[in-house]
mmCIF file with all atom_site columns, all heavy atoms in Angstrom:
data_model
loop_
_atom_site.group_PDB
_atom_site.id
_atom_site.type_symbol
_atom_site.label_atom_id
_atom_site.label_alt_id
_atom_site.label_comp_id
_atom_site.label_asym_id
_atom_site.label_entity_id
_atom_site.label_seq_id
_atom_site.pdbx_PDB_ins_code
_atom_site.Cartn_x
_atom_site.Cartn_y
_atom_site.Cartn_z
_atom_site.occupancy
_atom_site.B_iso_or_equiv
_atom_site.pdbx_formal_charge
_atom_site.auth_seq_id
_atom_site.auth_comp_id
_atom_site.auth_asym_id
_atom_site.auth_atom_id
_atom_site.pdbx_PDB_model_num
ATOM 1   N N   . LEU A 1 11  ? 145.602 112.986 124.856 1.00 94.00 ? 11  LEU A N   1
ATOM 2   C CA  . LEU A 1 11  ? 145.717 114.059 123.874 1.00 94.00 ? 11  LEU A CA  1
ATOM 3   C C   . LEU A 1 11  ? 146.480 113.604 122.639 1.00 94.00 ? 11  LEU A C   1
ATOM 4   O O   . LEU A 1 11  ? 146.109 113.910 121.499 1.00 94.00 ? 11  LEU A O   1
ATOM 5   C CB  . LEU A 1 11  ? 146.408 115.268 124.508 1.00 94.00 ? 11  LEU A CB  1
ATOM 6   C CG  . LEU A 1 11  ? 146.694 116.468 123.588 1.00 94.00 ? 11  LEU A CG  1
ATOM 7   C CD1 . LEU A 1 11  ? 145.394 117.004 122.986 1.00 94.00 ? 11  LEU A CD1 1
ATOM 8   C CD2 . LEU A 1 11  ? 147.422 117.568 124.362 1.00 94.00 ? 11  LEU A CD2 1
ATOM 9   N N   . ASN A 1 357 ? 143.886 93.240  103.479 1.00 85.00 ? 357 ASN A N   1
ATOM 10  C CA  . ASN A 1 357 ? 142.549 93.549  102.985 1.00 85.00 ? 357 ASN A CA  1
ATOM 11  C C   . ASN A 1 357 ? 142.554 94.601  101.886 1.00 85.00 ? 357 ASN A C   1
ATOM 12  O O   . ASN A 1 357 ? 141.858 94.476  100.882 1.00 85.00 ? 357 ASN A O   1
ATOM 13  C CB  . ASN A 1 357 ? 141.660 94.034  104.140 1.00 85.00 ? 357 ASN A CB  1
ATOM 14  C CG  . ASN A 1 357 ? 141.136 92.899  104.985 1.00 85.00 ? 357 ASN A CG  1
ATOM 15  O OD1 . ASN A 1 357 ? 141.896 92.053  105.448 1.00 85.00 ? 357 ASN A OD1 1
ATOM 16  N ND2 . ASN A 1 357 ? 139.836 92.874  105.203 1.00 85.00 ? 357 ASN A ND2 1
ATOM 17  N N   . LEU A 1 364 ? 143.649 88.868  95.006  1.00 86.00 ? 364 LEU A N   1
ATOM 18  C CA  . LEU A 1 364 ? 143.589 87.425  95.234  1.00 86.00 ? 364 LEU A CA  1
ATOM 19  C C   . LEU A 1 364 ? 142.185 86.853  95.090  1.00 86.00 ? 364 LEU A C   1
ATOM 20  O O   . LEU A 1 364 ? 142.020 85.710  94.653  1.00 86.00 ? 364 LEU A O   1
ATOM 21  C CB  . LEU A 1 364 ? 144.121 87.092  96.636  1.00 86.00 ? 364 LEU A CB  1
ATOM 22  C CG  . LEU A 1 364 ? 145.588 87.435  96.915  1.00 86.00 ? 364 LEU A CG  1
ATOM 23  C CD1 . LEU A 1 364 ? 145.926 87.160  98.378  1.00 86.00 ? 364 LEU A CD1 1
ATOM 24  C CD2 . LEU A 1 364 ? 146.513 86.651  95.994  1.00 86.00 ? 364 LEU A CD2 1
ATOM 25  N N   . ASP A 1 489 ? 119.736 84.694  93.681  1.00 59.00 ? 489 ASP A N   1
ATOM 26  C CA  . ASP A 1 489 ? 118.390 84.469  93.153  1.00 59.00 ? 489 ASP A CA  1
ATOM 27  C C   . ASP A 1 489 ? 118.394 84.438  91.628  1.00 59.00 ? 489 ASP A C   1
ATOM 28  O O   . ASP A 1 489 ? 117.360 84.589  90.988  1.00 59.00 ? 489 ASP A O   1
ATOM 29  C CB  . ASP A 1 489 ? 117.435 85.554  93.651  1.00 59.00 ? 489 ASP A CB  1
ATOM 30  C CG  . ASP A 1 489 ? 117.898 86.949  93.270  1.00 59.00 ? 489 ASP A CG  1
ATOM 31  O OD1 . ASP A 1 489 ? 119.016 87.082  92.732  1.00 59.00 ? 489 ASP A OD1 1
ATOM 32  O OD2 . ASP A 1 489 ? 117.134 87.906  93.507  1.00 59.00 ? 489 ASP A OD2 1
ATOM 33  N N   . PHE A 1 499 ? 139.092 97.465  93.556  1.00 75.00 ? 499 PHE A N   1
ATOM 34  C CA  . PHE A 1 499 ? 139.273 98.245  94.776  1.00 75.00 ? 499 PHE A CA  1
ATOM 35  C C   . PHE A 1 499 ? 137.930 98.749  95.309  1.00 75.00 ? 499 PHE A C   1
ATOM 36  O O   . PHE A 1 499 ? 137.749 98.928  96.506  1.00 75.00 ? 499 PHE A O   1
ATOM 37  C CB  . PHE A 1 499 ? 140.207 99.414  94.474  1.00 75.00 ? 499 PHE A CB  1
ATOM 38  C CG  . PHE A 1 499 ? 140.382 100.380 95.614  1.00 75.00 ? 499 PHE A CG  1
ATOM 39  C CD1 . PHE A 1 499 ? 141.360 100.173 96.571  1.00 75.00 ? 499 PHE A CD1 1
ATOM 40  C CD2 . PHE A 1 499 ? 139.571 101.499 95.739  1.00 75.00 ? 499 PHE A CD2 1
ATOM 41  C CE1 . PHE A 1 499 ? 141.524 101.066 97.620  1.00 75.00 ? 499 PHE A CE1 1
ATOM 42  C CE2 . PHE A 1 499 ? 139.729 102.392 96.784  1.00 75.00 ? 499 PHE A CE2 1
ATOM 43  C CZ  . PHE A 1 499 ? 140.712 102.167 97.721  1.00 75.00 ? 499 PHE A CZ  1
ATOM 44  N N   . LEU A 1 602 ? 126.802 99.812  74.994  1.00 93.00 ? 602 LEU A N   1
ATOM 45  C CA  . LEU A 1 602 ? 127.899 100.535 74.344  1.00 93.00 ? 602 LEU A CA  1
ATOM 46  C C   . LEU A 1 602 ? 128.050 100.105 72.887  1.00 93.00 ? 602 LEU A C   1
ATOM 47  O O   . LEU A 1 602 ? 128.200 100.951 71.992  1.00 93.00 ? 602 LEU A O   1
ATOM 48  C CB  . LEU A 1 602 ? 129.209 100.290 75.104  1.00 93.00 ? 602 LEU A CB  1
ATOM 49  C CG  . LEU A 1 602 ? 129.337 100.928 76.489  1.00 93.00 ? 602 LEU A CG  1
ATOM 50  C CD1 . LEU A 1 602 ? 130.679 100.567 77.121  1.00 93.00 ? 602 LEU A CD1 1
ATOM 51  C CD2 . LEU A 1 602 ? 129.196 102.441 76.410  1.00 93.00 ? 602 LEU A CD2 1
ATOM 52  N N   . TYR A 1 654 ? 132.825 122.107 86.010  1.00 96.00 ? 654 TYR A N   1
ATOM 53  C CA  . TYR A 1 654 ? 131.834 121.589 85.065  1.00 96.00 ? 654 TYR A CA  1
ATOM 54  C C   . TYR A 1 654 ? 131.299 122.706 84.168  1.00 96.00 ? 654 TYR A C   1
ATOM 55  O O   . TYR A 1 654 ? 131.136 122.510 82.951  1.00 96.00 ? 654 TYR A O   1
ATOM 56  C CB  . TYR A 1 654 ? 130.650 120.954 85.807  1.00 96.00 ? 654 TYR A CB  1
ATOM 57  C CG  . TYR A 1 654 ? 130.991 119.868 86.783  1.00 96.00 ? 654 TYR A CG  1
ATOM 58  C CD1 . TYR A 1 654 ? 130.195 119.642 87.912  1.00 96.00 ? 654 TYR A CD1 1
ATOM 59  C CD2 . TYR A 1 654 ? 132.099 119.043 86.600  1.00 96.00 ? 654 TYR A CD2 1
ATOM 60  C CE1 . TYR A 1 654 ? 130.487 118.642 88.817  1.00 96.00 ? 654 TYR A CE1 1
ATOM 61  C CE2 . TYR A 1 654 ? 132.405 118.036 87.506  1.00 96.00 ? 654 TYR A CE2 1
ATOM 62  C CZ  . TYR A 1 654 ? 131.602 117.853 88.622  1.00 96.00 ? 654 TYR A CZ  1
ATOM 63  O OH  . TYR A 1 654 ? 131.899 116.868 89.522  1.00 96.00 ? 654 TYR A OH  1
ATOM 64  N N   . ALA A 1 665 ? 123.295 117.687 84.751  1.00 96.00 ? 665 ALA A N   1
ATOM 65  C CA  . ALA A 1 665 ? 122.282 116.771 85.292  1.00 96.00 ? 665 ALA A CA  1
ATOM 66  C C   . ALA A 1 665 ? 122.924 115.923 86.380  1.00 96.00 ? 665 ALA A C   1
ATOM 67  O O   . ALA A 1 665 ? 123.897 115.210 86.130  1.00 96.00 ? 665 ALA A O   1
ATOM 68  C CB  . ALA A 1 665 ? 121.717 115.883 84.186  1.00 96.00 ? 665 ALA A CB  1
ATOM 69  N N   . LEU A 1 673 ? 120.594 110.179 102.085 1.00 85.00 ? 673 LEU A N   1
ATOM 70  C CA  . LEU A 1 673 ? 120.996 111.576 101.977 1.00 85.00 ? 673 LEU A CA  1
ATOM 71  C C   . LEU A 1 673 ? 120.053 112.350 101.063 1.00 85.00 ? 673 LEU A C   1
ATOM 72  O O   . LEU A 1 673 ? 119.642 111.853 100.017 1.00 85.00 ? 673 LEU A O   1
ATOM 73  C CB  . LEU A 1 673 ? 122.428 111.696 101.434 1.00 85.00 ? 673 LEU A CB  1
ATOM 74  C CG  . LEU A 1 673 ? 123.550 111.086 102.276 1.00 85.00 ? 673 LEU A CG  1
ATOM 75  C CD1 . LEU A 1 673 ? 124.894 111.304 101.589 1.00 85.00 ? 673 LEU A CD1 1
ATOM 76  C CD2 . LEU A 1 673 ? 123.565 111.664 103.683 1.00 85.00 ? 673 LEU A CD2 1
ATOM 77  N N   . LEU A 1 679 ? 122.736 121.114 96.232  1.00 94.00 ? 679 LEU A N   1
ATOM 78  C CA  . LEU A 1 679 ? 122.850 121.584 94.857  1.00 94.00 ? 679 LEU A CA  1
ATOM 79  C C   . LEU A 1 679 ? 122.096 122.897 94.651  1.00 94.00 ? 679 LEU A C   1
ATOM 80  O O   . LEU A 1 679 ? 122.521 123.741 93.849  1.00 94.00 ? 679 LEU A O   1
ATOM 81  C CB  . LEU A 1 679 ? 122.335 120.508 93.903  1.00 94.00 ? 679 LEU A CB  1
ATOM 82  C CG  . LEU A 1 679 ? 123.186 119.235 93.861  1.00 94.00 ? 679 LEU A CG  1
ATOM 83  C CD1 . LEU A 1 679 ? 122.527 118.172 92.993  1.00 94.00 ? 679 LEU A CD1 1
ATOM 84  C CD2 . LEU A 1 679 ? 124.587 119.540 93.348  1.00 94.00 ? 679 LEU A CD2 1
ATOM 85  N N   . ALA A 1 682 ? 124.418 125.566 95.745  1.00 94.00 ? 682 ALA A N   1
ATOM 86  C CA  . ALA A 1 682 ? 125.483 125.774 94.761  1.00 94.00 ? 682 ALA A CA  1
ATOM 87  C C   . ALA A 1 682 ? 124.969 126.538 93.552  1.00 94.00 ? 682 ALA A C   1
ATOM 88  O O   . ALA A 1 682 ? 125.651 127.428 93.014  1.00 94.00 ? 682 ALA A O   1
ATOM 89  C CB  . ALA A 1 682 ? 126.061 124.431 94.340  1.00 94.00 ? 682 ALA A CB  1
ATOM 90  N N   . VAL A 1 712 ? 118.551 116.297 89.549  1.00 96.00 ? 712 VAL A N   1
ATOM 91  C CA  . VAL A 1 712 ? 118.599 117.755 89.620  1.00 96.00 ? 712 VAL A CA  1
ATOM 92  C C   . VAL A 1 712 ? 119.281 118.265 88.356  1.00 96.00 ? 712 VAL A C   1
ATOM 93  O O   . VAL A 1 712 ? 120.315 117.729 87.939  1.00 96.00 ? 712 VAL A O   1
ATOM 94  C CB  . VAL A 1 712 ? 119.360 118.249 90.865  1.00 96.00 ? 712 VAL A CB  1
ATOM 95  C CG1 . VAL A 1 712 ? 119.624 119.756 90.778  1.00 96.00 ? 712 VAL A CG1 1
ATOM 96  C CG2 . VAL A 1 712 ? 118.583 117.933 92.137  1.00 96.00 ? 712 VAL A CG2 1
ATOM 97  N N   . THR A 1 743 ? 132.326 123.225 99.721  1.00 92.00 ? 743 THR A N   1
ATOM 98  C CA  . THR A 1 743 ? 133.539 123.559 98.987  1.00 92.00 ? 743 THR A CA  1
ATOM 99  C C   . THR A 1 743 ? 134.585 122.483 99.268  1.00 92.00 ? 743 THR A C   1
ATOM 100 O O   . THR A 1 743 ? 134.382 121.593 100.083 1.00 92.00 ? 743 THR A O   1
ATOM 101 C CB  . THR A 1 743 ? 134.091 124.931 99.411  1.00 92.00 ? 743 THR A CB  1
ATOM 102 O OG1 . THR A 1 743 ? 134.559 124.849 100.772 1.00 92.00 ? 743 THR A OG1 1
ATOM 103 C CG2 . THR A 1 743 ? 133.021 126.022 99.301  1.00 92.00 ? 743 THR A CG2 1
ATOM 104 N N   . SER A 1 756 ? 114.342 110.178 107.753 1.00 55.00 ? 756 SER A N   1
ATOM 105 C CA  . SER A 1 756 ? 114.160 108.727 107.821 1.00 55.00 ? 756 SER A CA  1
ATOM 106 C C   . SER A 1 756 ? 114.508 108.149 106.470 1.00 55.00 ? 756 SER A C   1
ATOM 107 O O   . SER A 1 756 ? 114.198 108.726 105.435 1.00 55.00 ? 756 SER A O   1
ATOM 108 C CB  . SER A 1 756 ? 112.721 108.357 108.191 1.00 55.00 ? 756 SER A CB  1
ATOM 109 O OG  . SER A 1 756 ? 111.828 108.846 107.217 1.00 55.00 ? 756 SER A OG  1
#
Side-chain angles (χ1 to χ4, degrees):
L11 176 59
N357 281 52
L364 297 175
D489 58 353
F499 175 88
L602 290 179
Y654 304 150
L673 298 180
L679 293 174
V712 169
T743 67
S756 61

